[in-house]
Amino acid sequence: MARNEEKAQSMLNRFVAFKNEEKKKPKERRPFLASECRDLADADKWRQQIMREIGRKVSEIQNEGLGEHRLRDLNDEINKLLREKVHWERRIVELGGPNYSRYSAKMTDLDGNIIDVPNPSGRGPGYRYFGAAKKLPGVKELFEKPPELRKRRTRYDIYKRIDASYYGYRDDEDGVLEKVEGPAEKKMRADDVAEWNRLEEIKREARKAVKNGEVANVEAAKGILYEEEEDVVEEERRKEREQDERKGMEFVVHVPLPDDKEIERMVVERKKQELLSKYASDDLLNEQNEAKAMLNIQS
């Protein structure tokens, strides 16, 4: 019994759906050319329809498991719909409607940064990639930024950056050197002034003693004389050390070396012996040696 009721219910549902379809108007197709539309409301309706199709296909292209060919086809269809949307937006502006292209979305890379992809044909907004199509072979390289090459600076670029601060002319403008060097400078100036005053006092005492015909106070100049004596002694010690070092660096020959004349004589003698051995016989050489020995000639 329940089976027959289900069949009747199913037939009733089909009948009701058929009647509703009869009441509806025939489904309108979107014009192939946007210029054929004469009504602003219709143009806005067709634009909204294109936007829904683009949203549906963009959601579908996010799936990386569709395969390379399906992703490329979906991306081509989305770009085709985008070009058609631009035509309808231009037609809406011509019919007196709002300019939707002013608020169009920008192209982004894998990191979400807005980029500008030029169109090779030079017309339109350019070809765009969506979703998983950005990771396809040959497409991912378009979104990767090339590595920045550091250009080597030339000598002109280096000299161009040199100013007064490079030579230290502005080191005391911040006041740091003044705080660090101020106390040391005051101490050195005070020591120099005290030394100058001491020398002036010694000179005045010496002049006064000379004018009065008295013997000058030796104790007053004892410090100066002691310092000069120390300088002389230190200079003599330095000269002695240099002489000792120079003596240590000298090369001492323990074997007598021949001078230039002796070396020249030995070379001539050797050449003479080579010529005699080449052109004279052994008997002649023996007779010559015996004659030299009898005459007591040293060669």
Side-chain angles (χ1 to χ4, degrees):
M1 188 69 179
R3 182 67 177 169
N4 294 332
E5 290 180 359
E6 290 177 2
K7 290 182 179 179
Q9 187 68 20
S10 177
M11 292 179 61
L12 179 62
N13 289 337
R14 290 198 299 270
F15 176 75
V16 172
F18 179 73
K19 286 296 183 180
N20 291 334
E21 289 292 334
E22 286 184 348
K23 293 179 181 179
K24 290 182 179 180
K25 296 181 181 180
K27 188 175 181 180
E28 297 183 75
R29 296 184 59 183
R30 186 168 65 242
F32 184 74
L33 297 176
S35 57
E36 297 177 357
C37 183
R38 299 286 186 266
D39 189 8
L40 178 61
D42 292 342
D44 199 357
K45 180 182 66 176
W46 299 129
R47 178 185 173 276
Q48 294 295 333
Q49 184 183 17
I50 294 173
M51 293 290 291
R52 287 192 296 271
E53 293 180 8
I54 292 174
R56 186 170 61 254
K57 292 183 181 296
V58 168
S59 300
E60 185 179 357
I61 204 174
Q62 305 298 326
N63 186 7
E64 298 182 7
L66 294 177
E68 181 180 351
H69 298 289
R70 179 55 182 165
L71 289 174
R72 292 186 184 275
D73 292 341
L74 274 175
N75 203 77
D76 292 339
E77 294 173 5
I78 293 172
N79 279 273
K80 183 179 178 181
L81 290 173
L82 285 174
R83 289 193 296 270
E84 190 174 356
K85 181 176 75 72
V86 172
H87 295 323
W88 282 106
E89 289 175 352
R90 190 181 301 115
R91 183 58 180 169
I92 289 173
V93 174
E94 292 175 356
L95 295 174
N99 187 6
Y100 294 105
S101 61
R102 185 183 305 172
Y103 310 103
S104 60
K106 302 295 182 180
M107 189 65 182
T108 58
D109 58 3
L110 297 176
D111 298 330
N113 301 321
I114 298 176
I115 60 173
D116 185 17
V117 181
N119 188 9
S121 63
R123 297 175 298 177
Y127 194 86
R128 300 185 179 184
Y129 294 92
F130 299 88
K134 295 180 180 180
K135 302 179 181 179
L136 291 175
V139 179
K140 188 176 180 180
E141 289 77 5
L142 298 176
F143 297 93
E144 293 179 354
K145 296 180 179 179
E148 297 181 0
L149 299 177
R150 293 187 62 183
K151 184 179 179 182
R152 186 174 180 180
R153 291 190 301 174
T154 60
R155 189 181 296 272
Y156 172 75
D157 296 332
I158 296 174
Y159 285 154
K160 189 168 60 176
R161 298 175 180 270
I162 294 177
D163 53 3
S165 300
Y166 177 81
Y167 296 101
Y169 293 135
R170 298 177 182 171
D171 291 345
D172 52 350
E173 290 185 356
D174 52 359
V176 177
L177 281 178
E178 185 178 357
K179 294 179 181 179
V180 175
E181 297 179 352
E185 184 180 356
K186 291 180 180 178
K187 184 178 181 300
M188 292 174 62
R189 185 180 291 111
D191 295 342
D192 292 341
V193 170
E195 181 68 18
W196 184 82
N197 291 331
R198 187 170 67 87
L199 294 176
E200 289 296 322
E201 181 66 23
I202 294 172
K203 291 178 182 178
R204 284 196 296 270
E205 292 292 336
R207 293 195 193 98
K208 188 184 296 183
V210 171
K211 183 182 291 186
N212 297 333
E214 300 176 356
V215 179
N217 188 9
V218 180
E219 294 295 334
K222 186 177 181 180
I224 301 175
L225 295 176
Y226 178 75
E227 291 176 0
E228 291 180 355
E229 184 179 357
E230 285 292 330
D231 294 339
V232 172
V233 172
E234 184 64 27
E235 183 67 20
E236 292 178 355
R237 290 176 182 174
R238 186 179 62 81
K239 290 181 179 179
E240 290 178 358
R241 286 197 300 269
E242 291 179 355
Q243 291 177 359
D244 295 339
E245 292 176 358
R246 193 178 298 110
K247 289 179 180 178
M249 294 175 63
E250 291 178 355
F251 180 72
V252 179
V253 180
H254 300 282
V255 180
L257 297 176
D259 54 358
D260 295 340
K261 293 182 179 180
E262 185 68 20
I263 293 173
E264 184 178 356
R265 188 189 64 77
M266 293 172 63
V267 171
V268 172
E269 186 67 24
R270 178 169 294 182
K271 288 184 178 180
K272 186 188 298 184
Q273 292 294 335
E274 291 177 357
L275 291 173
L276 289 173
S277 62
K278 185 176 182 181
Y279 296 104
S281 62
D282 295 337
D283 297 336
L284 181 60
L285 291 175
N286 293 331
E287 292 177 358
Q288 185 179 1
N289 292 331
E290 290 176 359
K292 287 183 178 180
M294 292 174 62
L295 298 174
N296 197 14
I297 298 176
Q298 300 293 334
S299 57

